[in-house]
Amino acid sequence: MRVYVGFDDTDTIDADRGTGKLARWFEQELPEGCFLWGVVRQQLLVDPAIPYTSHNSSACAVIEIPDPSLVQTLIDRGIQHIGKHFIPGSDPGLCIAAEGNGTLSHLISFGKLCATTIVTQKAALQAATGVHLSGHGGTNDGIIGAAAGVGLTASGWSGRFIEFKKLRDFPELVRVAELERAGIVVVSVDRDAPVPGPDDMVDTKGWLRPGLWGARPALPVTAAEKNLWHALA
């Protein structure tokens, strides 16, 4: 079973770590038998009327669990994780929802709304009826981004991966076949969209961050020269 664990607003502008790093660290807290599929960063609306730390983004860890009974354990450990790592002065929020929960459709709609519109805590709580949503300090405004992060990630068509199969361990130049063996599909976005060959090289420019397309990691590339592609973004 797949479980979405959304975190938001756990840092401050001068902090040495952000919400994305806190979400990636959650892998260390997983119960036995569970594993981290990936962590996706979601971009929400940037507007002067919205208080945010730097970019108004949230992060969602996607966890595979062997038994539905472990959802409560993830909730307990998620709360403890925030308590251990959040930065004083922030407004942390936590949202946890399992696939198959009917509420996910409401969270998906809510997430899309948060990407384009100013929303309230009340709207977040209404969208999250039936799943876990909790605030853990300050104004508790982080519940908005946490719920939106879960919804947008569950949609399968939003955000970029900040963790997936040890992204930071890939070399700057990597073969298409290596990426696809890791589960990252390489997609040409050139006008004629030729198919990258398995032995072609991708120049990641030292920053490999696939997008979440069709519920899987996808790396958009454009042709640089014969058998060489440049990763976008």
Side-chain angles (χ1 to χ4, degrees):
M1 173 183 282
R2 182 164 288 185
V3 179
Y4 301 92
V5 181
F7 297 96
D8 188 40
D9 206 347
T10 64
D11 57 349
T12 57
I13 195 64
D14 55 352
D16 61 351
R17 58 185 180 271
T19 297
K21 185 173 286 187
L22 182 144
R24 290 192 290 113
W25 287 351
F26 190 55
E27 182 176 17
Q28 303 165 16
E29 308 297 334
L30 298 183
E32 185 176 355
C34 303
F35 72 90
L36 178 73
W37 180 73
V39 180
V40 183
R41 175 196 184 274
Q42 296 292 352
Q43 180 61 52
L44 308 179
L45 176 68
V46 175
D47 187 283
I50 299 174
Y52 57 86
T53 305
S54 58
H55 298 94
N56 198 27
S57 64
S58 61
C60 182
V62 184
I63 314 296
E64 296 283 358
I65 66 172
D67 191 295
S69 65
L70 290 169
V71 172
Q72 185 57 51
T73 302
L74 290 180
I75 292 171
D76 296 339
R77 294 193 182 187
I79 292 170
Q80 293 169 7
H81 187 62
I82 288 177
K84 185 191 303 183
H85 295 294
F86 86 102
I87 303 296
S90 62
D91 310 306
L94 174 70
C95 183
I96 299 183
E99 65 179 355
N101 188 306
T103 297
L104 272 179
S105 62
H106 300 297
L107 286 173
I108 290 171
S109 297
F110 177 75
K112 293 177 179 178
L113 196 64
C114 287
T116 58
T117 309
I118 297 173
V119 298
T120 64
Q121 289 190 29
K122 181 179 179 181
L125 290 166
Q126 289 174 339
T129 301
V131 303
H132 177 86
L133 181 62
S134 57
H136 298 278
T139 65
N140 290 329
D141 265 354
I143 67 172
I144 298 173
V150 166
L152 289 170
T153 303
S155 78
W157 287 99
S158 178
R160 61 173 168 82
F161 283 86
I162 55 176
E163 188 60 271
F164 182 82
K165 302 288 181 69
K166 305 299 179 186
L167 286 175
R168 291 161 181 78
D169 292 343
F170 281 92
E172 187 166 332
L173 282 173
V174 57
R175 280 185 171 79
V176 169
E178 291 180 57
L179 292 167
E180 296 197 335
R181 275 197 298 270
I184 301 170
V185 61
V186 180
V187 182
S188 169
V189 293
D190 284 348
R191 174 181 173 180
D192 296 324
V195 178
D199 291 324
D200 288 359
M201 302 299 294
V202 176
D203 184 356
T204 68
K205 301 171 184 158
W207 202 77
L208 179 60
R209 299 292 186 272
L212 178 63
W213 293 5
R216 65 183 298 187
L219 183 67
V221 297
T222 186
E225 57 186 72
K226 184 176 174 58
N227 304 124
L228 176 66
W229 303 79
H230 283 167
L232 299 182

